[in-house]
Amino acid sequence: MKGDGNEFLIRIADLRKAFGEQKVLKGISLQVKRGETVAVLGRSGGGKSVLLKLIIGLQTPDGGSIQIADKEITTLDENQLNEVRKRVGFLFQQAALYDSLTVEDNVAFPLSRHTKMSNEERNDRVHELLADVGMDRDLRKMPSEISGGMQKRVGLARALALDPEILLFDEPTAGLDPITAAEIGDLIVKLKRKRKMSAVVVTHDVHGANAYSDRMVLLHEGSIAAEGSFDDLQGSQDEFVKQFFSYGSR
Amino acid sequence: MMRLPIFVLTAAASGAMTGGRLRDQVPIARNFLFGVFEWFGELGLFCIRLIRAALTPPYEFGELLRQCDAIGSKSLPLVALAGAATGVVLSLQTRDSLTRFGAKAFLPAVIVFSIIKESGPIITGLIVSGRVGAGIGAELGSMKVTEQIDAMEASAVDPYKFLVATRVAACILMLPLLTVVSNFCGILMGWVANTLSEPISLRLFFEDGFKNMEFTDYIPPIVKTAVFGLTIGIVSCFQGIRTSGGTEGVGRSATSSVVLSSLFVILADVILVRLILMIWG
């Protein structure tokens, strides 16, 4: 993992995935450098979330290669895969907080299983993580007692618990009002600066992605239709890219 | 699985149908058979993964205790009530029959034997498969559709270890204890119902009831309930964890957990009674 600042933490090559007859990913290749944030855009049902689940090993690809920190995860057994997963944080679309646990226990969950922290150290760490996302006053609440935006913040704190080198965001601003969505976007920028992690953000929010990403990838019909900065993509002459950005700018 | 008897009846009824209509049934039967084999195949893989998760450290003792409370303590009132009702009904019904045959003196022994050897275990098994089976199926199902199980896996925690193994183990541990409570309530209420018709002291009732019981009469039915617990735990966790299709899928999982675990408890009972009789006579 040590090396110069430009090493790739994620290397995806010729990644393919189909569900029955439906080919969702048709040979995607993508690299993410250390400290880089890549936004993956595309239409609903275009395979963006599947891409994230393949990266963390929740689904198995039909072909191609996925390397996380130089480890080919498609060939790892469950224990080896779990070692890689500890270095990756995942914020789910609906936050996926555990219903039966309080906010505090949700964030403590990975810490209590993968670290040898004392109760006091773990509590301090949980408070610090929740303070980072502005949720340190609702420790004892259950997930059902907080709003969608607050759930995403707690989900983010949980994803950061093991101090991951890579963060995967699945629609971090979907279903939120513009102010809360902007707050989550600001939070991603803040965390990116503070923790210097690599991130892959799946989103529909073109302008939000412009605020926190270094590079954008546009998926269309299972392939990468365009790749580059916001300005590159906005100036693209490709019909689909133009259409996506014109609707996304409304 | 519940479609099997319906299918058999339908197939039998269509025996007199024309060849063309019979041909229409063939793809349905084939799909149904594929579905059954697929279900058992997936269940086999699920069990292998469960065994691996249950036997390898670290062990989730905290979650196991929480599940023992959820499955055991919280089922206690219902199981006690069902056991008590069984005792009352058994006492009332059996009393009438035994009186006709002039064997009324055997009433305490009949109540104790039938509750300890069969009624208590099966009633407890069915009550728990209803309450706990639905609960586990719905809880794991809803965790599945809201990606909580994926989130657990993504944070490098094996859901089979944390969610499945703990629930199955809690079912295995709690069923025998619940059965003991159910048996006690059944026998006690059997005495109460008997005493209301013809007063008899509790001590005499117990002496008459238990004097011919042997140690081997107690152990097999209790062990049998641990197998019921295993069945309920595995079937309801399996149905819950393979849920798909949103909230409708959660409802389906809860229902199928109850139906299938009750069905398998009854099947297990038939097999185990035969085995017990073969081993202990």
Side-chain angles (χ1 to χ4, degrees):
Chain A
M1 294 297 295
K2 307 282 179 221
D4 64 46
N6 287 333
E7 67 177 309
F8 291 112
L9 268 187
I10 302 174
R11 289 171 197 265
I12 295 168
D14 193 26
L15 189 65
R16 280 165 281 126
K17 179 72 181 172
F19 295 99
E21 295 295 305
Q22 191 194 357
K23 289 181 179 172
V24 178
L25 297 176
K26 301 174 188 168
I28 298 276
S29 294
L30 178 71
Q31 288 85 34
V32 181
K33 290 178 191 169
R34 178 181 291 279
E36 184 185 32
T37 300
V38 174
V40 179
L41 303 155
R43 297 185 67 176
S44 300
K48 305 186 297 296
S49 298
V50 172
L51 176 64
L52 289 191
K53 288 185 176 175
L54 289 168
I55 292 174
I56 198 144
L58 290 174
Q59 290 180 357
T60 316
D62 297 333
S65 153
I66 304 169
Q67 288 186 18
I68 304 281
D70 293 332
K71 287 203 166 62
E72 176 60 49
I73 67 152
T74 54
T75 57
L76 298 181
D77 65 27
E78 197 66 23
N79 289 336
Q80 293 168 324
L81 186 58
N82 278 341
E83 288 308 310
V84 174
R85 282 170 175 162
K86 287 177 196 170
R87 299 157 76 167
V88 183
F90 196 128
L91 175 61
F92 284 80
Q93 192 168 351
Q94 304 298 329
L97 299 181
Y98 308 126
D99 288 337
S100 57
L101 303 180
T102 60
V103 162
E104 188 177 30
D105 291 341
N106 261 283
V107 180
F109 187 83
L111 293 171
S112 59
R113 266 142 197 93
H114 301 308
T115 67
K116 291 188 167 56
M117 288 178 176
S118 66
N119 283 346
E120 199 176 315
E121 286 170 331
R122 194 165 57 235
N123 287 344
D124 289 346
R125 174 81 176 135
V126 168
H127 285 222
E128 181 199 339
L129 286 162
L130 286 169
D132 271 358
V133 297
M135 283 296 295
D136 49 339
R137 275 189 268 174
D138 300 293
L139 299 170
R140 304 277 174 206
K141 286 190 175 166
M142 300 303 285
S144 56
E145 296 170 332
I146 57 177
S147 68
M150 291 161 104
Q151 286 185 13
K152 291 232 167 136
R153 285 167 184 267
V154 178
L156 186 51
R158 186 179 66 185
L160 293 167
L162 296 176
D163 214 0
E165 292 155 284
I166 298 167
L167 258 181
L168 306 176
F169 296 87
D170 190 1
E171 305 277 9
T173 55
L176 302 177
D177 65 85
I179 296 170
T180 313
E183 282 173 1
I184 296 282
D186 292 344
L187 203 54
I188 294 173
V189 174
K190 187 181 120 187
L191 291 168
K192 189 180 143 185
R193 284 190 193 132
K194 187 177 172 185
R195 294 170 185 264
K196 299 194 169 39
M197 289 175 295
S198 303
V200 179
V201 187
V202 157
T203 183
H204 293 111
D205 179 7
V206 174
H207 289 282
N210 182 36
Y212 49 72
S213 68
D214 303 305
R215 187 156 56 94
M216 291 182 177
V217 170
L218 184 59
L219 286 187
H220 181 50
E221 292 179 350
S223 304
I224 293 178
E227 194 173 349
S229 67
F230 178 81
D231 292 335
D232 293 340
L233 267 64
Q234 205 174 29
S236 171
Q237 293 308 303
D238 182 277
E239 203 52 46
F240 173 71
V241 181
K242 271 163 62 179
Q243 190 187 20
F244 191 90
F245 272 72
S246 67
Y247 280 113
S249 303
R250 284 181 186 180
Chain B
M1 286 300 292
M2 288 306 288
R3 284 153 57 193
L4 182 61
I6 299 166
F7 168 71
V8 172
L9 286 173
T10 315
S14 65
M17 287 180 187
T18 61
R21 291 187 69 183
L22 195 61
R23 269 200 299 276
D24 293 343
Q25 304 288 324
V26 173
I28 300 169
R30 193 182 54 203
N31 289 344
F32 174 73
L33 274 178
F34 281 163
V36 170
F37 283 121
E38 192 182 355
W39 190 87
F40 277 107
E42 283 179 20
L43 181 66
L45 294 174
F46 172 86
C47 289
I48 291 168
R49 203 169 162 190
L50 166 62
I51 292 166
R52 205 186 305 148
L55 297 181
T56 51
Y59 304 107
E60 297 283 353
F61 289 115
E63 181 62 12
L64 175 63
L65 280 177
R66 206 177 73 84
Q67 289 306 322
C68 284
D69 176 49
I71 291 165
S73 322
K74 291 182 177 135
S75 301
L76 199 62
L78 192 60
V79 164
L81 195 67
T86 309
V88 171
V89 171
L90 200 62
S91 175
L92 295 174
Q93 292 277 23
T94 317
R95 182 181 180 75
D96 181 50
S97 308
L98 290 179
T99 305
R100 286 189 207 179
F101 293 105
K104 206 168 62 178
F106 291 114
L107 185 63
V110 170
I111 291 174
V112 167
F113 265 73
S114 60
I115 284 182
I116 288 181
K117 296 190 88 164
E118 186 52 39
S119 312
I122 192 71
I123 292 287
T124 309
L126 291 175
I127 292 284
V128 173
S129 69
R131 202 197 85 85
V132 174
I136 291 176
E139 188 184 10
L140 295 192
S142 108
M143 287 185 79
K144 174 80 177 175
V145 300
T146 56
E147 295 184 311
Q148 290 175 54
I149 291 178
D150 280 349
M152 199 170 279
E153 222 167 343
S155 39
V157 175
D158 184 355
Y160 279 71
K161 188 181 282 295
F162 187 78
L163 298 173
V164 179
T166 51
R167 280 163 175 77
V168 174
C171 283
I172 295 171
L173 293 173
M174 289 299 109
L175 251 288
L177 298 177
L178 289 169
T179 305
V180 169
V181 173
S182 165
N183 289 350
F184 174 76
C185 293
I187 293 167
L188 191 69
M189 289 311 289
W191 167 74
V192 170
N194 191 41
T195 299
L196 290 175
S197 308
E198 190 179 320
I200 176 175
S201 76
L202 183 62
R203 189 176 165 183
L204 185 60
F205 184 87
F206 271 53
E207 271 177 14
D208 280 355
F210 285 94
K211 72 179 169 197
N212 289 319
M213 287 286 281
E214 290 171 11
F215 189 65
T216 50
D217 291 320
Y218 297 101
I219 300 304
I222 296 295
V223 173
K224 188 167 75 174
T225 59
V227 179
F228 291 169
L230 177 73
T231 309
I232 295 165
I234 286 180
V235 170
S236 47
C237 286
F238 176 61
Q239 288 302 107
I241 217 157
R242 69 202 290 266
T243 303
S244 60
T247 48
E248 199 185 343
V250 175
R252 271 200 307 269
S253 290
T255 309
S256 63
S257 296
V258 177
V259 171
L260 290 174
S261 54
S262 303
L263 185 72
F264 280 107
V265 161
I266 293 166
L267 287 175
D269 192 37
V270 173
I271 295 165
L272 289 169
V273 165
R274 184 79 192 113
L275 268 177
I276 289 166
L277 289 173
M278 274 168 65
I279 297 167
W280 282 282

